[in-house]
Amino acid sequence: MLAEPPLAPRRFRSAPERAARIARPLGVVAGVREPDHALLAEIGRRMLTRDETGAALARAMGRDRDDPQRVTMRALHAALAAGAAPADAPPALRGFLAAVTPDPDWLDRDLLDHGARAYRRLGRSRDDVLLGLSLIGGYRYGGPTELLVRTGGLTGAGAMRRLGETQAWAFAVSRPGGMLPGGEGWAATLHVRAMHALVAERFERGDRYDVDTHGLPINQADSAATLGLFNSTAILGCRLLGRHVPRADGAAIMHLWRYVGWLIGVDDDWLFDSERDQNAFNHHVVLAQGAVTPAGPQLAGALVEGLRSERTGGRVDRLRGAWERRRLLSLLRVFLRAEGLRDLDLPVGVPWAWPSQVLRNLVESLLVARSRRGRRWLERRSDRRVRADLTRRFGRETPGPRDLAA
């Protein structure tokens, strides 16, 4: 008699007291009084479900060279640049593009453009939050961290490349016209979805990944959790750093990332337009997690040290790298508190950078951003800084699809 398949991997809720303690502040923000046990169970179940549309494309890309149904990387890139697959394309490629065209009924492209501008105006605070609270904060839990180690995200160069990929993707998503079919952000998002599917398919084969413990690689629950780090978590973290985000801007940013999530294959019922709803979902995601694993401190340490080691220029450049490392550790004290830093074997210091960051953000968001001219200046300044970062990491300010590997 065959055993019943598990309803969730072993990591699901394997450290409930720790998860409840970490999730408590987010529950207060979201107004969650009692956990939704049905939602928690569903998060566990979807740790064992995949993006089936992406999986079909990945299988087609793995076919023999002489198979007429094989999808090549060149054909994928051509279809993404055109915004549609040609009529004679293999069925898997046509199905992949058909899943994201035409636009969903709820999409408001004017609101999408508003969200892109508002996201760019968050400036350096946005990138600080994505690095410290979203990326490094996510290393406090097992599952995706093990996959990152296996795919080479552990080494110093690999860690900084992963940071650059994330920054390049978010930049492409928020550029003017970037989310039109065939646009830079639209194509980059679907490229990332395809790469995720290829990685998941590769690690699902054989016994290369402990599915019973960690769930499927790049599963639906983890994909939805990752999306939540780019929308409401980014907004919440920027507010923690003193950035005033008007309600209209917050709603527009949520709409932008709802569309990104739809493109990348997150289940429709886990795409949110409301910050409160997303924060409530994120609260349950944290409740569903287990303990930190050895991969977490390794990945976090590689990123923190990578800020210093990626600076290979003269003395001033190296000193800037050391400064960036100290500044990040200071902000991590605010984002993750002492417990989070100890989880990741990072030094626990004083959040000395936080007061000046708050003061600067208050001035920019309450005074500079009051005028249209001031808002455009904030957007341009943010773009210049991101372009400089991408040029340093990739050798050019507009990385191509191959720079956005999974």
Side-chain angles (χ1 to χ4, degrees), residues 18 21-22 140 336-344 348:
R18 173 182 185 266
R21 187 171 61 252
I22 296 173
R140 298 177 72 184
L336 307 183
R337 298 177 293 176
E339 178 186 5
L341 289 167
R342 285 192 287 266
D343 279 348
L344 298 172
V348 179

Side-chain angles (χ1 to χ4, degrees), residues 61 72-78 80 161 164-165 168 184 187-188 191-192 195 394 396 398-406:
M61 295 181 79
T72 65
M73 190 65 72
R74 177 178 294 181
L76 172 65
H77 289 163
L80 295 182
R161 181 175 183 84
E165 290 165 358
E184 185 179 339
H191 175 84
V192 169
M195 295 303 100
F394 295 103
R396 55 191 183 281
T398 54
R402 291 177 180 80
D403 296 313
L404 299 175

Side-chain angles (χ1 to χ4, degrees), residues 185-361:
W186 187 90
T189 300
L190 291 172
H191 175 84
V192 169
R193 180 177 182 176
M195 295 303 100
H196 281 176
L198 285 170
V199 169
E201 197 271 339
R202 176 159 58 97
F203 279 89
E204 277 190 56
R205 289 200 304 261
D207 59 354
R208 301 184 65 188
Y209 194 70
D210 188 351
V211 173
D212 289 342
T213 296
H214 304 306
L216 288 174
I218 316 182
N219 57 68
Q220 277 291 333
D222 289 338
S223 294
T226 300
L227 178 67
L229 299 176
F230 284 87
N231 54 24
S232 68
T233 299
I235 296 169
L236 193 61
C238 285
R239 288 182 175 134
L240 183 62
L241 294 179
R243 199 94 194 173
H244 171 64
V245 183
R247 183 174 299 180
D249 283 4
I253 290 170
M254 291 297 300
H255 194 72
L256 169 67
W257 285 96
R258 182 183 179 187
Y259 182 49
V260 172
W262 184 79
L263 289 175
I264 215 164
V266 173
D267 287 332
D268 288 356
D269 60 334
W270 283 355
L271 298 174
F272 303 100
D273 258 335
S274 159
E275 286 183 62
R276 186 182 183 89
D277 289 346
Q278 181 72 70
N279 284 329
F281 176 79
N282 293 350
H283 171 78
H284 286 80
V285 165
V286 176
L287 290 177
Q289 302 306 312
V292 65
T293 67
Q298 291 174 315
L299 288 164
L303 265 181
V304 171
E305 294 306 317
L307 285 179
R308 175 166 54 189
S309 62
E310 76 168 340
R311 301 279 182 166
T312 57
R315 177 177 172 81
V316 172
D317 194 47
R318 290 195 298 272
L319 286 174
R320 182 174 179 81
W323 166 264
E324 292 294 345
R325 175 187 176 276
R326 290 185 63 240
R327 180 178 176 277
L328 173 60
L329 287 170
S330 172
L331 293 178
L332 286 174
R333 180 66 173 80
V334 176
F335 294 144
L336 307 183
R337 298 177 293 176
E339 178 186 5
L341 289 167
R342 285 192 287 266
D343 279 348
L344 298 172
D345 293 342
L346 295 173
V348 179
V350 176
W352 53 267
W354 184 59
S356 60
Q357 185 87 343
V358 169
L359 180 60
R360 179 175 181 173
N361 278 332

Side-chain angles (χ1 to χ4, degrees), residues 357-370:
Q357 185 87 343
V358 169
L359 180 60
R360 179 175 181 173
N361 278 332
L362 287 173
V363 170
E364 289 185 356
S365 57
L366 293 176
L367 296 179
V368 178
R370 286 177 64 89

Side-chain angles (χ1 to χ4, degrees), residues 27-232:
V28 172
V29 170
V32 177
R33 295 186 178 182
E34 295 291 336
D36 182 337
H37 293 286
L39 175 56
L40 278 172
E42 187 61 16
I43 290 171
R45 188 187 72 80
R46 293 195 208 181
M47 288 179 177
L48 295 169
T49 64
R50 65 178 68 79
D51 168 20
E52 295 294 353
T53 299
L57 177 70
R59 289 191 295 270
M61 295 181 79
R63 288 177 176 270
D64 294 338
R65 288 182 177 273
D66 57 353
D67 191 325
Q69 295 193 16
R70 178 174 179 257
V71 177
T72 65
M73 190 65 72
R74 177 178 294 181
L76 172 65
H77 289 163
L80 295 182
D88 60 348
L93 181 56
R94 284 188 278 113
F96 186 70
L97 272 296
V100 295
T101 51
D103 289 345
D105 293 340
W106 47 261
L107 185 64
D108 180 336
R109 289 208 167 268
D110 289 337
L111 189 58
L112 207 66
D113 292 342
H114 179 177
R117 286 189 176 278
Y119 203 69
R120 289 158 61 208
R121 281 198 294 273
L122 296 178
R124 183 166 193 184
S125 293
R126 172 204 61 221
D127 292 342
D128 287 337
V129 173
L130 290 178
L131 172 57
L133 185 57
S134 301
L135 193 58
I136 295 178
Y139 293 158
R140 298 177 72 184
Y141 315 105
T145 50
E146 277 66 33
L147 187 64
L148 274 174
V149 169
R150 285 172 174 262
T151 55
L154 175 59
T155 64
M160 299 316 294
R161 181 175 183 84
R162 173 166 164 73
L163 175 60
E165 290 165 358
T166 303
Q167 189 177 33
W169 178 44
F171 184 54
V173 162
S174 61
R175 295 189 75 177
M179 296 306 284
L180 291 169
E184 185 179 339
W186 187 90
T189 300
L190 291 172
H191 175 84
V192 169
R193 180 177 182 176
M195 295 303 100
H196 281 176
L198 285 170
V199 169
E201 197 271 339
R202 176 159 58 97
F203 279 89
E204 277 190 56
R205 289 200 304 261
D207 59 354
R208 301 184 65 188
Y209 194 70
D210 188 351
V211 173
D212 289 342
T213 296
H214 304 306
L216 288 174
I218 316 182
N219 57 68
Q220 277 291 333
D222 289 338
S223 294
T226 300
L227 178 67
L229 299 176
F230 284 87
N231 54 24
S232 68

